[in-house]
Amino acid sequence: LSPTAVRLTNESAELLSVYVEPYPSDYWLLPGEAMLLVGVPGSLDVDVTRFDGGLTVCFGEDLDPEAWTLDGVRLANGHQRPDQ
């Protein structure tokens, strides 16, 4: 099986939060920024839910996705998270 990949793009004028479940990961996209969530081969189930200010992306239980820029740079958990 090939890896499961989901491309997310922030087409809004505001910061967009992206929460990845079932793993406690969060990423924050600037306006115009895009990212890829790539999971290891396994379940192809991916659910994306929009809420005010962000997205929740839920992968099947067997996937532990990694986040990447479209240029191939791996993103750390909390990428561009605003100070609270």
Side-chain angles (χ1 to χ4, degrees):
L1 289 172
S2 298
T4 299
V6 177
R7 180 180 175 159
L8 303 170
T9 304
N10 183 2
E11 295 288 339
S12 75
E14 299 178 11
L15 191 64
L16 178 73
S17 60
V18 177
Y19 297 98
V20 181
E21 296 180 355
Y23 305 94
S25 301
D26 65 296
Y27 306 92
W28 299 77
L29 299 180
L30 298 172
E33 188 175 25
M35 67 182 282
L36 284 174
L37 289 173
V38 180
V40 297
S43 171
L44 299 179
D45 294 329
V46 180
D47 291 317
V48 179
T49 304
R50 184 186 182 281
F51 61 92
D52 288 341
L55 300 171
T56 299
V57 182
C58 187
F59 284 83
E61 293 178 20
D62 296 337
L63 288 177
D64 186 5
E66 296 177 346
W68 298 84
T69 67
L70 300 185
D71 296 328
V73 177
R74 186 160 181 205
L75 299 175
N77 183 21
H79 173 71
Q80 299 180 148
R81 181 187 303 140
D83 293 332
Q84 306 254 339

